[in-house]
Amino acid sequence: MKKNVLALSIATMVGGLGLSGAAMAAPATFDVNESGAGIIQIVPYFTAQDGNATVLHVVNTDATNAKAVKVRFRGASNSDDLLDFQVFLSPGDAWTGLASANAEGRLQLVTSDSSCTLPASVRTDGVTLAPLDRLSNRLWDTAEKKHAQTREGYVEILEMATIPAHTKTTGLNQLEALYTAVKHVKKDGKMQAPCTASAFAALDAVTDGLTLAAAVVGPPAVPAVVLGAPTGTLAASWYIMNVAKSTTFSGSATALQLAAGAAVPVYAPQKAQIASTLVTADPLIASGIIDKQDFDVPDLSTPLLAPASVTLAHASTQAANLSAALNRATVGNQFYQDAGLNAATDWVFSMPTRRYLVAANYDAEKYIKGTVLNGVGSTGTAAAGAGNTTNYIVRNAMATLAANNGTLPNKFDADANLTVNTAGQICVQAAGQTFYDREEDSVKDGHVVSPGIAKKLNLCGEVHVATFGAKSPLGASVAQSSFQTDFGAGWGVVDFGTGAGNGVPVLGAAFTAATNPNAAAGMVGNYGITWPHFYSK
């Protein structure tokens, strides 16, 4: 639900939520592994546009213990939470789900997987995204425009806790009962999880990320148990398929693993209530513009190394460290376009940590549809005082300097770098780009990035898709622009700048589709190619 005024300004929170040195745990730092196991997995792009469907695979590589996992779909415009739920993976288990558009054009997710979920209906019936009450009609004034916002974005996957294995059969405490409920057993000739409802009931009372409320199921009484710490054993992959066009793109999720230290459990109930003490660096939630619900946490900023009773300072520092781990000075890839072969290429720029640095306040009074504004009124200044609803760009000022000793980590940390386009998307401009053909010819910045007259790529939205060719192979439309070059094939580099205050935390890949008009009768002549980006720090 929304509040019409800022309940708390982040400026106030900066001054009021400081921690003593004794209480402040070391913030989490991260190693990035593009295709390995990790405590966090990020799928840089999903789409349900233009007949596409996206399939996710999440694997628990721990062959002994079960895992509680959070899956969250976020939108391409401003990283709005579109759909989130929990999956419980037994040892060695893999969960699969398919995201597509329903008849009304809204995101839906279905699965035939027997792994347990919360809510349980995700496993039994699938889920169709409910009307987006947190998305204002001010920007998207028709149902179709609002539905379109649900059909593109990225996916966060977070290991919340370990559910340790056990060998008991009677007198189970709640943690052991939960393991029994999620562990696959053979029934009716196939392996499936029992998903016993009573075993999940105690999770609804967890408020601190750790402790199950009641002690046992049946005598004798034992002390309350805690969920086990996540250990970073998740792996994930994805593919985008279009049956009508006979094309498929695929890749591995980007894994993030703790660089040092052991994580603490970060479990919160999958409920619309405000009981969990877990925190987030999301500036809309931290400032009170949006009321935090328990299903909002954990997210990528929820502290993994700190005690449960931590504050915004911990979450902001983790968000800054995560952004630093993903920060890129340059992003490069190949492209191919040929009208005769209906060939085109999309470059996807996915910025999964931007939400924790800057966010869009759809109810800001100064934003007028159809105008372009500079990103004025950074939170953390007097302009963002309590009761002020005039700021469209809401900043978490604590994440700017928390982990960087006063050095700005990337372009999102300076208001001068940010604008808002007519679609209400926050934008940051690249320093420049260079394109080469396959024979060493090149051109810098002179090629037009459309729409508009900008000569440099403007990354608008959380997941921006830049297209070489007549039409986006991914059917992208939410946050999309076009590169126009004289080269039919080649490669290029987008430069975001080096040094303090430059770079962008970004992931992605290039997606090329083509059609062979000379394919023999009965042969499919459509092709899909995925090229991972290459980066410099």
Side-chain angles (χ1 to χ4, degrees):
M1 63 185 69
K2 291 189 172 98
K3 291 182 177 180
N4 291 326
V5 298
L6 293 175
L8 296 169
S9 71
I10 294 181
T12 301
M13 298 176 76
V14 171
L17 293 179
L19 298 175
S20 68
M24 180 69 170
T29 55
F30 297 90
D31 291 327
V32 181
N33 187 341
E34 289 283 334
S35 59
I39 199 167
I40 292 170
Q41 293 283 343
I42 300 173
V43 175
Y45 185 70
F46 81 86
T47 178
Q49 301 276 35
D50 196 29
N52 287 303
T54 302
V55 179
L56 302 181
H57 294 262
V58 184
V59 180
N60 176 19
T61 64
D62 186 335
T64 303
N65 303 298
K67 300 291 179 178
V69 178
K70 184 79 166 187
V71 179
R72 179 179 286 111
F73 286 74
R74 289 192 179 270
S77 270
N78 288 308
S79 197
D80 299 297
D81 186 349
L82 303 177
L83 175 67
D84 66 82
F85 54 93
Q86 298 177 0
V87 177
F88 295 83
L89 299 174
S90 64
D93 190 15
W95 176 86
T96 300
L98 181 147
S100 61
N102 72 353
E104 293 180 320
R106 282 185 283 144
L107 179 69
Q108 65 179 0
L109 184 133
V110 296
T111 179
S112 59
D113 201 290
S114 67
S115 298
C116 305
T117 64
L118 287 179
S121 57
V122 173
R123 178 177 68 96
T124 57
D125 305 316
V127 60
T128 298
L129 185 64
L132 294 180
D133 294 334
R134 283 178 166 180
L135 296 187
S136 171
N137 284 320
R138 182 172 301 182
L139 299 181
W140 305 297
D141 51 9
T142 67
E144 169 49 33
K145 288 180 180 178
K146 209 167 187 180
H147 295 341
Q149 296 298 316
T150 74
R151 298 196 296 263
E152 282 181 76
Y154 64 97
V155 187
E156 303 172 344
I157 303 167
L158 175 65
E159 182 186 350
M160 297 183 290
T162 292
I163 305 168
H166 73 89
T167 58
K168 291 183 182 180
T169 58
T170 60
L172 303 179
N173 66 33
Q174 288 184 336
L175 192 61
E176 293 162 342
L178 184 61
Y179 178 87
T180 301
V182 304
K183 179 71 173 71
H184 283 59
V185 294
K186 183 163 286 189
K187 182 179 179 181
D188 299 328
K190 65 178 182 179
M191 297 294 289
Q192 52 189 302
C195 301
T196 311
S198 60
F200 290 92
L203 290 175
D204 290 342
V206 174
T207 60
D208 61 2
L210 304 168
T211 309
L212 296 176
V216 295
V217 177
V222 296
V225 295
V226 295
L227 294 165
T231 57
T233 62
L234 294 185
S237 58
W238 54 268
Y239 61 91
I240 297 168
M241 63 179 181
N242 191 305
V243 174
K245 296 180 181 179
S246 301
T247 55
T248 303
F249 305 102
S250 64
S252 296
T254 296
L256 292 120
Q257 192 67 278
L258 291 177
V264 297
V266 286
Y267 184 86
Q270 187 64 29
K271 297 180 73 67
Q273 60 185 29
I274 308 174
S276 176
T277 61
L278 297 182
V279 295
T280 172
D282 185 323
L284 296 184
I285 294 175
S287 66
I289 293 173
I290 294 176
D291 284 330
K292 185 193 81 171
Q293 306 293 328
D294 284 355
F295 59 72
D296 286 321
V297 288
D299 61 19
L300 301 189
S301 71
T302 302
L304 287 164
L305 291 181
S309 56
V310 294
T311 69
L312 176 62
H314 295 83
S316 300
T317 302
Q318 179 166 303
N321 286 346
L322 192 57
S323 295
L326 298 176
N327 203 43
R328 318 296 191 186
T330 64
V331 178
N333 214 315
Q334 299 184 66
F335 65 88
Y336 179 63
Q337 55 182 331
D338 187 326
L341 297 177
N342 198 29
T345 300
D346 280 333
W347 284 9
V348 169
F349 297 85
S350 182
M351 295 166 278
T353 65
R354 199 194 79 176
R355 176 65 179 233
Y356 309 108
L357 307 177
V358 293
N361 174 16
Y362 297 139
D363 285 341
E365 293 173 357
K366 279 190 177 178
Y367 180 78
I368 303 173
K369 186 177 179 182
T371 65
V372 178
L373 304 179
N374 288 325
V376 297
S378 164
T379 59
T381 71
N388 186 345
T389 61
T390 61
N391 297 302
Y392 186 77
I393 295 179
V394 184
R395 175 181 303 285
N396 181 349
M398 299 181 75
T400 301
L401 305 177
N404 297 279
N405 298 317
T407 300
L408 299 176
N410 59 61
K411 284 182 174 292
F412 289 111
D413 291 306
D415 286 332
N417 293 333
L418 305 181
T419 57
V420 179
N421 67 8
T422 56
Q425 297 162 351
I426 298 171
C427 308
V428 63
Q429 191 175 73
Q433 61 265 343
T434 303
F435 297 111
Y436 301 83
D437 68 6
R438 291 178 175 173
E439 307 300 334
E440 301 184 44
D441 197 6
S442 68
V443 65
K444 293 184 178 181
D445 297 342
H447 291 151
V448 173
V449 180
S450 66
I453 59 173
K455 296 293 193 276
K456 299 175 182 177
L457 178 64
N458 212 23
L459 292 186
C460 294
E462 297 277 358
V463 181
H464 190 89
V465 178
T467 301
F468 298 79
K471 183 180 179 182
S472 165
L474 295 167
S477 64
V478 171
Q480 189 259 349
S481 63
S482 296
F483 279 127
Q484 297 179 9
T485 76
D486 297 328
F487 303 144
W491 66 283
V493 175
V494 177
D495 180 13
F496 295 105
T498 58
N502 287 304
V504 170
V506 65
L507 299 171
F511 301 83
T512 296
T515 302
N516 179 4
N518 298 316
M523 302 294 289
V524 177
N526 297 333
Y527 307 94
I529 302 168
T530 309
W531 288 317
H533 286 328
F534 47 87
Y535 309 103
S536 68
K537 295 288 288 184

